[in-house]
Amino acid sequence: MCEHLGQKTCCSTWGSSFLSFPSDYLDILEVDMMRLPEETNKQQHHTNFYNSDYLVVRRGQEFEVKITFNRPYKPASDKFAVEFVIGSSPQFSKGTYIPVFPHNERPSPWEGSITNTADDTVTMGVTAAATCIVGKYNMYVAVVTPFGIRRTRKDKSRNLYILFNPWATADAVFLDDEKERDECVMNEMGILYHGAYDDVAERNWNYGQFNFGVLDACLYIMDRSDMPITNRGDPIRVTRKASAMLNSRDDEGVLVGNWSGDYTYGVAPTSWTGSTDILLTYASGQMPVCYAQCWVYAAVFNTFLRCLGIPSRVVTNFYSAHDTDGNLKMDIILDENGRIDRSRTKDSIWNYHCWNECFMSRPDLPAGFGGWQVVDATPQETSDGMYRCGPASVQAIKHGQICFPFDAAFLFAEVNSDVVFYSRNKDGTMEPVRVNRTHIGRMVVTKSAGDMTRREITDQYKFPEGSTEERTVLEKAEEYGCKRDKSELPPADVDLILPTLEVSVGDDFEMSLEFVNRSDERRTVDIYISGSVVFYTGVTSSEFLFRNPTVTIGPNKSVKESVTVESKAYMKHLVEQANINFIATGKVQETGQIITAMKVITLHNPKLTVTVSEGGRVSEEMTATVEFTNPFSFSLEGVYIRMEGPGVMLPKSKYYSLIQGRTSLSWAEYFTPQRAGDSRVIASLDCPALRQVLGQASITVKP
C-alpha cells in the first residue's frame, strides 16, 4: 500500500500510544468519523435511520471525516492519505484498496478534498466512486514522515458501510422520482396483497431494513454466497445472486420453502409479521430459517434490496401461471362429458404470486429496457442451474423481448399464458374445446408510493387484452420460441357466470350460477359443479362438493341455478388461507359446445383487535394490546401471536397452548418508540386450525 504515497519503506502503525517524533513532523491524534445520526453525513446520505454504531454512507456522494493532527496541516509540505480497504486481500487494481488524497495529487478512483481547516483539525471530504463495491470498509489514515509511512491501526470505530445511492445520477440505481424513492428505499412499512383478484386482501409487513443487525445480515448473505467481492458494486449481479440466496434449495440460503401445511419444525409462513427475525436468525444461526411461501420470500428480499440502497417493491400477480415448459398454455383436461379430469390435469394456476421489482439501469440490454426489473426468490424453476429468477426487464416482458436476460420468458408466461380446456376422447386423443385468453395475469398490483393504498400496474406488464399491440407482442414471443395454442374456436352461445362473494370462515352460503342463452333457440346444458379446498398455489387439497344438474334455458333468456354450500362440508378440509375453488364445466346438448367458469373464493378470517395507548413520544414507554375472540365452537390449540412495528417495536411473540371456543384473550406489551412519525403496530395470530388472522393499529409518535 505504501507505493501510493510515494514511499517504498516499511509502514508502521499506531493506535492510542505514539512513537516519539520531533514536533515538526505531522502526526495524527484523533479521527472523527462524524457517524452520529444527527451529524451531516447520515443526514445528507439518507442513512440516519440505520440503527448502527458505524458510519453509513452512499456511493457517488461526498461524506466528511475530521482528522486532528499534532500541529496545523501544511498543504505545501505535508502528505497524508485516507485509505479504504474491503475484503481479505485488498488490491488497488481490484478496487478493494482505495487511497484518497486531499488534493487529488495522485490517481484515485475516489475523489478527495479538504473542506475545512480549523487549528490542528482538517475536515476531509471523500466521494466514493458511483460504481464502487458496496459493503463494509475499514478506514485508515496514513502520513508520510522522514522515517517512512505511518498508518493508524485497524480500529472498529473507523469501519464504515458504503451503499448503493438512488439519489446519485451516476449510480446504476438512480431513481429520479422523489416520491417513489422515499417509498421504495426509505419506507419500512409494507403492504402485501393476496386473496383473489376480485376480493383483494392485504397484510401489513415490517421490512425493518434499518433495524439493528439487519445491514450486517444482508452483507452476510453475500458473503455466504461466495460472491466475488469485486462483483458487489453491480446491482445486476447482486440481485441475481440474492434471488438464489434468499431460498435454501441449492445453496443453504435464507428461507426454507414449505407448501405442505405442516410447519411442526418451524414458523408457519402465515405467522411472520416482518423480516427482522428471519434475517437476524439466519445471520446468527448460519442455517436456513423455516418456513416461507412466496410473499415471505418477496418481503424479505425487499428488505435486503432496500437495506443496501436498491429501490424495490413487492408486486402481486393474480392468477399467475406456473408454466414449466414455456408453451404459454395451462392445460385443463375434461372427459367426454365435460367433467374435469383431475388425474390428468397437471398444470397449476396460482391464485396469486408475489415477486419483487427493483430499479436499475441495464447497460447489458438495448436502450429503453432499464428501470423496473423483476426478481423472484421463490424457488419455482432453475435458471443457469440454480433456483433463481431475474433480473428481467419489465419493459422486455411487456414487449415480448423474452430472449433478454434473465428469465424473461418464464415471467412472460406467468402473466400471458392461456387456459386451454381439452376434451379427452375414449380413444385417448385430445382436442381443444375452449380457450380462455384473459384469465392469467388478470391483475398486477403493488403498494402506492406515499400512502397505504393499492396501485394497479397491469399495464406495465402487458397491453390491453385483444389489442393490436398485444397480438404483435405474442407474435414476437413466438419468434423467440414460445408456443401458443392457435385454436380459433367458435364462441359458445351460452354464457356461464359465477358470482363474486364475500364469505367468512364458518359461514354457510349460496353459490348462484347464471346461465345466459344468447341464441334464438332453447338450450339444455349438462353441468358439472365442483367445489374444492385449494392451496393458494392452485393445488387441490380435497373436493368437498359435486353437483351435476341439467339446466334448460329458453331463447335469449337467463336462468339461475343455486347451490347451497354448508360450512360443515368444507370446514374440516380447510387449509391455510382458506381458499375454495369452484369450477363449473358443461356441455350444451344441442350444439356439443363446452362452457366453463372458474371462481376462487377466499374465506375471510376473524380479525385481531390491536390498540395502542395515547400520547406517543420518542423514548417514552407505551402499551400495545392485542385482543381476540375465538368465534368457533371448537378450541384452537398451539396458538402463536406475533407483534411488531417499524421504528416503534421490535418483534415480540406469545404462545397460548389452548384458546377454548367462544372465549377471548388479551395480550399487552410495553414498547418504547425510537423514531418520530407515523407508523403501525401489526400483529398476527396463527395455529394449525386457523391461519393468517391479522390486525394492526396506526400510531403517530411525536419527537
Side-chain angles (χ1 to χ4, degrees), residues 665-695:
L665 66 82
S666 179
W667 169 39
E669 277 285 345
Y670 293 107
F671 67 98
T672 305
Q674 300 302 307
R675 284 205 307 271
D678 293 331
S679 186
R680 286 186 176 184
V681 173
I682 56 183
S684 76
L685 179 147
D686 212 82
C687 65
L690 185 63
R691 303 284 185 197
Q692 200 158 258
V693 177
L694 308 171

Side-chain angles (χ1 to χ4, degrees), residues 63-189:
F63 63 93
E64 294 180 328
V65 294
K66 287 182 180 177
I67 305 163
T68 302
F69 295 108
N70 60 325
R71 61 166 174 76
Y73 166 68
K74 302 173 185 175
S77 56
D78 293 333
K79 289 185 179 180
F80 79 94
V82 181
E83 302 172 323
F84 297 88
V85 172
I86 189 169
S88 56
S89 52
Q91 297 177 45
F92 182 78
S93 61
K94 292 186 175 181
T96 53
Y97 162 68
I98 306 100
V100 182
F101 304 96
H103 303 292
N104 292 320
E105 62 263 27
R106 290 181 175 275
S108 172
W110 297 11
E111 294 180 10
S113 64
I114 291 179
T115 59
N116 189 48
T117 303
D119 299 326
D120 298 342
T121 300
V122 168
T123 303
M124 175 89 166
V126 177
T127 305
T131 55
C132 78
I133 295 164
V134 165
K136 188 176 186 178
Y137 287 76
N138 302 121
M139 194 191 88
Y140 301 85
V141 181
V143 294
V144 175
T145 76
F147 308 97
I149 291 173
R150 296 238 295 153
R151 178 174 287 109
T152 52
R153 285 199 178 106
K154 187 173 183 177
D155 187 328
K156 284 203 307 185
S157 69
R158 288 191 286 272
N159 291 347
L160 74 156
Y161 298 88
I162 298 182
L163 309 179
F164 291 101
N165 192 350
W167 285 266
T169 54
D171 198 306
V173 303
F174 172 63
L175 176 56
D176 192 18
D177 182 329
E178 184 177 357
K179 191 174 181 181
E180 201 76 65
R181 201 168 49 209
D182 284 347
E183 175 68 38
C184 296
V185 181
M186 301 299 293
N187 195 359
E188 290 183 281
M189 185 75 243

Side-chain angles (χ1 to χ4, degrees), residues 224 385 445 494 576 693:
R224 184 72 179 267
V445 298
V494 176
E576 61 206 69
V693 177

Side-chain angles (χ1 to χ4, degrees), residues 318-319 415-418 436-443 458-459 461-471 474 484:
F318 286 98
Y319 293 138
V415 295
N416 284 294
S417 290
D418 297 331
N436 188 331
R437 304 201 189 279
T438 62
H439 187 70
I440 301 297
R442 184 69 66 90
M443 183 168 69
T458 313
D459 62 347
Y461 281 84
K462 55 205 293 191
F463 289 100
E465 300 282 358
S467 65
T468 304
E469 295 93 338
E470 186 209 26
R471 284 195 296 274
L474 292 170
R484 296 178 63 228

Side-chain angles (χ1 to χ4, degrees), residues 545-620:
L545 178 144
F546 180 75
R547 302 279 189 277
N548 58 334
T550 298
V551 179
T552 301
I553 319 126
N556 298 301
K557 300 284 187 182
S558 66
V559 171
K560 289 190 176 181
E561 177 77 19
S562 287
V563 176
T564 300
V565 181
E566 295 183 338
S567 62
K568 64 184 181 184
Y570 66 76
M571 279 297 287
K572 58 180 176 289
H573 300 293
L574 273 190
V575 294
E576 61 206 69
Q577 301 192 49
N579 292 310
I580 295 178
N581 189 23
F582 289 96
I583 300 181
T585 60
K587 182 181 273 189
V588 181
Q589 290 181 4
E590 291 82 0
T591 63
Q593 293 173 330
I594 298 290
I595 62 173
T596 66
M598 297 180 288
K599 176 70 68 174
V600 172
I601 295 176
T602 301
L603 301 180
H604 292 208
N605 279 330
K607 296 269 192 285
L608 294 178
T609 301
V610 183
T611 54
V612 178
S613 58
E614 296 180 357
R617 290 189 178 277
V618 172
S619 300
E620 289 187 7

